[in-house]
Amino acid sequence: MTEVGGVVVERDVVRIEGPDAEAYLQGQLSQDVAALGDGGSVWTFVLQPQGKVDAWFRLTRLGDGVFEADIDAGHGEALLARLQRFLLRTKAELSAATVPMVAVRGGVIEAPAGSRAADPAWPGITGVDLLGADVLPDGVAPWTLEDLERTRIECGVPAMGAELTEATIPAEAGVVGRSVSFTKGCFTGQELVARIDSRGGNVPRHLRGVVSEAELPVGADV
C-alpha cells in the first residue's frame, strides 16, 4: 500500500517516574536511557537474566525522571511486573494503562491535541504513531487491522506474542542494531547479547520474510 492510511488500535503504556527512574532503567534496559533527551524515544529490550526476551517496546522520556514505555496491547501488565521485580530500594513509581493510538503509515501527520506523536521506525515506510488519539486525522485513509498487520510483516517488524516470545534470543529478531547500546555499560541480560554480537550475530534462527505468488491471509501456516 502506498496511500497514507491509518487505523485506531489499543496500546499498553507503562509509566515510570521518580528521582531514581533513569538510573533504574539504565541498569535494566538494553538502550542508553541516560543519553535520551526530553521528548526522545528509543526502541529497547528488557531481558531475562539469561538474555532472552521479556519485552521489546518504545521508551520515551517525557521529562526529568519521567518515562513512558509503550508496548503491543496485551503485554503491558507483563512488562509492569517485570520492571517491578527488581524495583528494590528504588525511588520510582510504576503504573500501567491502555490507551488508544492511531497508527499512520505511508506518511507523517501532525499529532492532534491531546495526543503524542512517536516514530514507529518501520523499515521501508514512513509513518507515525499518535498515542492517545482515537480518530483518524483528515487525509488519512481508513485501514483495517489486517492491513496494518500485513504491512508490519512486509516491513519485517517483530511483534510481542508473535515473533517475540520468552524463548526468543534478541539477535533472532533482527532489531538488535536499533535496540541495543553496546557502549552504555551493564544491563540485565547483557552477557548473551554481547557474546553473540562478538561472534558476528550468529544464532540458530533468524526472522525472515517469505514472498508468495499466492494470496496468503495473515496468520497462514507456511
Side-chain angles (χ1 to χ4, degrees):
M1 294 185 178
T2 57
E3 66 179 356
V4 179
V7 61
V8 180
V9 298
E10 288 188 337
R11 191 81 175 162
D12 287 350
V13 175
V14 176
R15 188 178 179 93
I16 309 101
E17 57 185 319
D20 294 344
E22 178 184 304
Y24 177 67
L25 293 174
Q26 183 76 344
Q28 292 296 316
L29 307 188
S30 62
Q31 278 283 17
D32 191 349
V33 178
L36 192 60
D38 285 355
S41 298
V42 289
W43 286 88
T44 184
F45 288 108
V46 63
L47 303 174
Q48 304 166 21
Q50 298 83 5
K52 293 186 178 181
V53 174
D54 271 331
W56 183 61
F57 55 92
R58 178 173 44 204
L59 181 76
T60 302
R61 184 194 288 269
L62 300 183
D64 187 19
V66 182
F67 299 85
E68 277 191 355
D70 67 282
I71 190 170
D72 296 329
H75 297 274
E77 288 298 331
L79 175 58
L80 176 66
R82 166 60 180 81
L83 291 176
Q84 286 179 325
R85 193 176 309 152
F86 299 101
L87 198 69
L88 303 174
R89 296 182 295 278
T90 302
K91 295 179 181 178
E93 296 183 356
L94 281 69
S95 59
T98 298
V99 302
M101 183 186 84
V102 175
V104 177
R105 301 295 182 269
V108 177
I109 303 296
E110 185 176 346
S115 67
R116 173 167 60 83
D119 185 359
W122 282 19
I125 189 170
T126 58
V128 63
D129 288 337
L130 304 175
L131 287 149
D134 57 4
V135 177
L136 293 185
D138 292 340
V140 177
W143 278 14
T144 65
L145 292 176
E146 186 175 79
D147 291 334
L148 185 67
E149 180 72 350
R150 184 181 303 278
T151 304
R152 178 189 73 80
I153 293 170
E154 290 175 348
C155 291
V157 179
M160 292 295 301
E163 297 82 13
L164 296 171
T165 72
E166 61 183 10
T168 304
I169 297 171
E172 295 174 339
V175 293
V176 166
R178 60 188 176 98
S179 306
V180 176
S181 169
F182 290 98
T183 60
K184 59 167 284 185
C186 296
F187 59 90
T188 300
Q190 178 196 27
E191 183 178 351
L192 177 65
V193 176
R195 185 169 67 247
I196 291 175
D197 181 71
S198 69
R199 297 176 180 175
N202 295 319
V203 288
R205 301 180 300 169
H206 288 275
L207 182 60
R208 291 288 185 264
V210 176
V211 178
S212 172
E213 294 182 357
E215 183 74 14
L216 295 176
V218 173
D221 291 333
V222 178

